[in-house]
Amino acid sequence: MRKKIVAGNWKMNTNCQDGIELAKAVAEEAKALPAGTGLIVAPPFTHLFGVSEALKGSKVELSAQNCADHVSGAYTGEVSVDMLKSAGCQWTILGHSERRQYYGETDAKLVEKVRLALEAGLGVILCVGENLDEREAGRHFDVCTEQIKNVLYNFTGEDMKRIVVAYEPVWAIGTGKTASAQQAEEIHACIRKVLSDKFGAVVAEDTSILYGGSCKPSNAKELFAQPDIDGGLIGGASLKAKDFIEIALSF
Ligand code: PGA
């Protein structure tokens, strides 16, 4: 049975002190969650070690928002998977549309990053999703299929046990425009089919596929009720502990 997961992507928000306070509040509120729901927070790099201390003894897991595509060495400004592990991370988000759009993250680079993350023992939340032009041109299924194939078809069914997919339509991120539950569900079902074609039905059925893009307490229930939506990757609404937990209580 695949896991229900709600992950909070804090993006470039909060300073270290505020971030630790937010993490403590999330850990406290998370006590209300049923055992089967996985909760993950992804603060900025600078906060990771402090937040991992703040989360100790709670059921909240820690994720980075990105990692380097090299193991170590002369890569000024980059953060390696080993650094993330040693800071207390269990996960990293990879391929977020903001990384693809503003920092030239390509599928080829993502293959390296996923490989390094898995080798280091990190779980991966791999983001895919179409932009507005692609949606309006009716290419949303093709774009998501390509992204999944370009990255995940380089891995094995065994690797997939530690990979979660997040479908995030770019036009819905931070815009207040949520994909309708039906729009999201049809892409999630498509992604599961693409995974099934390569890894078989069992692996595809066991892979958690999260929805992201203006997901909030008021729309999470309808989204999470869809058969192929296994939770959410939450941006703005993850910056308030109460909203974030309300979303996680929406299954
Ligand atoms: P949003 O961001 O919830 O603020 O739309 C989601 C994301 O980009 O992960």
Side-chain angles (χ1 to χ4, degrees), residues 7-9 11 93 96-98 127 168 172-177 211-216 233-238:
N9 175 10
K11 308 193 180 182
I93 297 172
H96 191 279
S97 64
E98 287 149 18
C127 305
E168 299 206 307
I173 294 178
T175 58
K177 281 189 209 155
Y211 169 79
S214 300
C215 184
K216 44 190 181 261
L233 179 55
I234 318 300
S238 72

Short mmCIF file of all heavy atoms in Angstrom, two decimals, residues 7-9 11 93 96-98 127 168 172-177 211-216 233-238, ligand 1:
data_model
loop_
_atom_site.label_atom_id
_atom_site.label_comp_id
_atom_site.label_asym_id
_atom_site.label_seq_id
_atom_site.Cartn_x
_atom_site.Cartn_y
_atom_site.Cartn_z
N ALA A 7 3.97 17.09 2.23
CA ALA A 7 5.30 17.68 2.38
C ALA A 7 5.19 19.19 2.23
O ALA A 7 4.48 19.69 1.36
CB ALA A 7 6.24 17.11 1.31
N GLY A 8 5.91 19.92 3.09
CA GLY A 8 5.88 21.38 3.05
C GLY A 8 7.15 21.93 2.45
O GLY A 8 8.24 21.70 2.99
N ASN A 9 7.02 22.62 1.34
CA ASN A 9 8.17 23.23 0.68
C ASN A 9 8.20 24.70 1.08
O ASN A 9 7.42 25.50 0.57
CB ASN A 9 7.99 23.07 -0.85
CG ASN A 9 9.07 23.79 -1.63
OD1 ASN A 9 10.07 24.24 -1.08
ND2 ASN A 9 8.87 23.89 -2.94
N LYS A 11 10.39 26.85 0.47
CA LYS A 11 11.07 27.71 -0.53
C LYS A 11 12.02 28.66 0.18
O LYS A 11 12.61 28.30 1.20
CB LYS A 11 10.03 28.44 -1.39
CG LYS A 11 9.01 27.46 -1.99
CD LYS A 11 8.17 28.05 -3.07
CE LYS A 11 7.21 26.99 -3.59
NZ LYS A 11 6.39 27.46 -4.69
N ILE A 93 13.81 17.24 -2.17
CA ILE A 93 12.98 17.56 -3.34
C ILE A 93 13.94 17.73 -4.51
O ILE A 93 15.03 18.27 -4.34
CB ILE A 93 12.21 18.89 -3.11
CG1 ILE A 93 11.22 18.75 -1.94
CG2 ILE A 93 11.48 19.33 -4.38
CD1 ILE A 93 10.57 20.08 -1.52
N HIS A 96 12.06 20.77 -8.87
CA HIS A 96 10.95 21.71 -8.71
C HIS A 96 10.95 22.67 -9.90
O HIS A 96 12.00 23.05 -10.41
CB HIS A 96 11.11 22.49 -7.40
CG HIS A 96 9.89 23.28 -7.08
ND1 HIS A 96 9.64 24.50 -7.66
CD2 HIS A 96 8.82 23.01 -6.28
CE1 HIS A 96 8.47 24.94 -7.22
NE2 HIS A 96 7.96 24.06 -6.38
N SER A 97 9.77 23.08 -10.33
CA SER A 97 9.69 23.92 -11.54
C SER A 97 10.47 25.22 -11.39
O SER A 97 10.97 25.77 -12.37
CB SER A 97 8.24 24.20 -11.89
OG SER A 97 7.63 24.95 -10.87
N GLU A 98 10.57 25.72 -10.14
CA GLU A 98 11.35 26.96 -9.96
C GLU A 98 12.83 26.70 -10.21
O GLU A 98 13.55 27.58 -10.68
CB GLU A 98 11.09 27.54 -8.56
CG GLU A 98 9.69 28.16 -8.48
CD GLU A 98 9.02 28.09 -7.12
OE1 GLU A 98 9.71 27.86 -6.10
OE2 GLU A 98 7.78 28.25 -7.07
N CYS A 127 9.71 16.39 -8.81
CA CYS A 127 8.59 17.22 -9.31
C CYS A 127 8.54 17.22 -10.83
O CYS A 127 9.58 17.33 -11.49
CB CYS A 127 8.75 18.66 -8.85
SG CYS A 127 8.92 18.85 -7.08
N GLU A 168 3.12 19.05 -10.23
CA GLU A 168 2.87 20.46 -9.91
C GLU A 168 2.71 21.25 -11.20
O GLU A 168 3.71 21.64 -11.82
CB GLU A 168 4.05 21.02 -9.11
CG GLU A 168 4.27 20.32 -7.78
CD GLU A 168 4.95 21.24 -6.78
OE1 GLU A 168 6.01 21.81 -7.11
OE2 GLU A 168 4.41 21.42 -5.70
N ALA A 172 -0.30 26.66 -11.60
CA ALA A 172 -1.06 26.63 -10.33
C ALA A 172 -0.19 26.94 -9.13
O ALA A 172 -0.69 27.04 -8.02
CB ALA A 172 -1.71 25.25 -10.16
N ILE A 173 1.12 27.11 -9.34
CA ILE A 173 2.03 27.29 -8.20
C ILE A 173 2.04 28.75 -7.75
O ILE A 173 2.40 29.63 -8.53
CB ILE A 173 3.46 26.83 -8.55
CG1 ILE A 173 3.47 25.32 -8.80
CG2 ILE A 173 4.42 27.19 -7.43
CD1 ILE A 173 4.81 24.77 -9.21
N GLY A 174 1.63 28.96 -6.52
CA GLY A 174 1.68 30.30 -5.94
C GLY A 174 0.72 31.29 -6.60
O GLY A 174 0.79 32.49 -6.34
N THR A 175 -0.17 30.81 -7.45
CA THR A 175 -1.04 31.71 -8.20
C THR A 175 -2.45 31.77 -7.62
O THR A 175 -3.25 32.59 -8.04
CB THR A 175 -1.18 31.22 -9.66
OG1 THR A 175 -1.71 29.89 -9.62
CG2 THR A 175 0.16 31.21 -10.37
N GLY A 176 -2.74 30.86 -6.70
CA GLY A 176 -4.10 30.77 -6.19
C GLY A 176 -5.00 29.96 -7.11
O GLY A 176 -6.13 29.64 -6.76
N LYS A 177 -4.49 29.61 -8.32
CA LYS A 177 -5.28 28.79 -9.25
C LYS A 177 -4.93 27.33 -9.02
O LYS A 177 -3.85 26.88 -9.40
CB LYS A 177 -4.88 29.10 -10.70
CG LYS A 177 -5.48 30.34 -11.26
CD LYS A 177 -5.17 30.37 -12.76
CE LYS A 177 -5.08 31.81 -13.22
NZ LYS A 177 -4.26 31.99 -14.41
N TYR A 211 0.11 15.94 -5.22
CA TYR A 211 -0.29 17.11 -6.01
C TYR A 211 0.27 18.37 -5.37
O TYR A 211 0.25 18.51 -4.13
CB TYR A 211 -1.82 17.23 -6.11
CG TYR A 211 -2.19 18.57 -6.68
CD1 TYR A 211 -2.11 18.80 -8.06
CD2 TYR A 211 -2.50 19.65 -5.85
CE1 TYR A 211 -2.36 20.06 -8.58
CE2 TYR A 211 -2.76 20.91 -6.37
CZ TYR A 211 -2.67 21.11 -7.74
OH TYR A 211 -2.89 22.36 -8.26
N GLY A 212 0.75 19.31 -6.17
CA GLY A 212 1.21 20.60 -5.64
C GLY A 212 0.78 21.74 -6.53
O GLY A 212 0.75 21.62 -7.76
N GLY A 213 0.44 22.87 -5.92
CA GLY A 213 0.02 24.06 -6.66
C GLY A 213 -1.22 24.64 -6.02
O GLY A 213 -2.33 24.16 -6.26
N SER A 214 -1.00 25.64 -5.14
CA SER A 214 -2.11 26.31 -4.44
C SER A 214 -3.01 25.33 -3.68
O SER A 214 -4.22 25.54 -3.59
CB SER A 214 -2.92 27.18 -5.40
OG SER A 214 -2.08 28.17 -5.98
N CYS A 215 -2.42 24.27 -3.15
CA CYS A 215 -3.18 23.34 -2.30
C CYS A 215 -3.29 23.96 -0.91
O CYS A 215 -2.30 24.46 -0.37
CB CYS A 215 -2.45 22.00 -2.25
SG CYS A 215 -3.35 20.75 -1.33
N LYS A 216 -4.48 23.97 -0.36
CA LYS A 216 -4.72 24.62 0.93
C LYS A 216 -5.82 23.87 1.68
O LYS A 216 -6.44 22.97 1.11
CB LYS A 216 -5.07 26.10 0.72
CG LYS A 216 -6.05 26.37 -0.40
CD LYS A 216 -6.14 27.86 -0.68
CE LYS A 216 -7.16 28.12 -1.78
NZ LYS A 216 -6.57 28.32 -3.09
N LEU A 233 2.28 18.41 -2.10
CA LEU A 233 3.50 19.18 -1.86
C LEU A 233 3.03 20.63 -1.74
O LEU A 233 2.50 21.20 -2.70
CB LEU A 233 4.49 19.00 -3.02
CG LEU A 233 5.81 19.77 -2.92
CD1 LEU A 233 6.54 19.47 -1.62
CD2 LEU A 233 6.73 19.40 -4.10
N ILE A 234 3.19 21.16 -0.55
CA ILE A 234 2.53 22.40 -0.19
C ILE A 234 3.54 23.53 -0.07
O ILE A 234 4.51 23.40 0.69
CB ILE A 234 1.80 22.25 1.18
CG1 ILE A 234 1.09 20.88 1.31
CG2 ILE A 234 0.86 23.42 1.43
CD1 ILE A 234 0.02 20.62 0.29
N GLY A 235 3.32 24.63 -0.78
CA GLY A 235 4.21 25.79 -0.66
C GLY A 235 3.68 26.75 0.37
O GLY A 235 3.84 26.56 1.58
N GLY A 236 3.00 27.79 -0.09
CA GLY A 236 2.53 28.87 0.78
C GLY A 236 1.85 28.41 2.06
O GLY A 236 2.16 28.89 3.16
N ALA A 237 0.94 27.45 1.94
CA ALA A 237 0.17 27.01 3.12
C ALA A 237 0.99 26.18 4.10
O ALA A 237 0.51 25.85 5.19
CB ALA A 237 -1.07 26.24 2.68
N SER A 238 2.24 25.85 3.75
CA SER A 238 3.07 25.08 4.71
C SER A 238 3.80 26.01 5.67
O SER A 238 4.47 25.56 6.59
CB SER A 238 4.08 24.20 3.97
OG SER A 238 5.11 24.97 3.38
P1 PGA B 1 2.15 26.70 -3.60
O1 PGA B 1 3.54 25.99 -4.04
O2 PGA B 1 1.45 25.73 -2.68
O3 PGA B 1 2.55 27.97 -2.91
O4 PGA B 1 1.38 26.93 -4.86
C1 PGA B 1 3.64 24.61 -4.25
C2 PGA B 1 5.04 24.26 -4.66
O5 PGA B 1 5.62 24.96 -5.49
O6 PGA B 1 5.63 23.27 -4.16
#
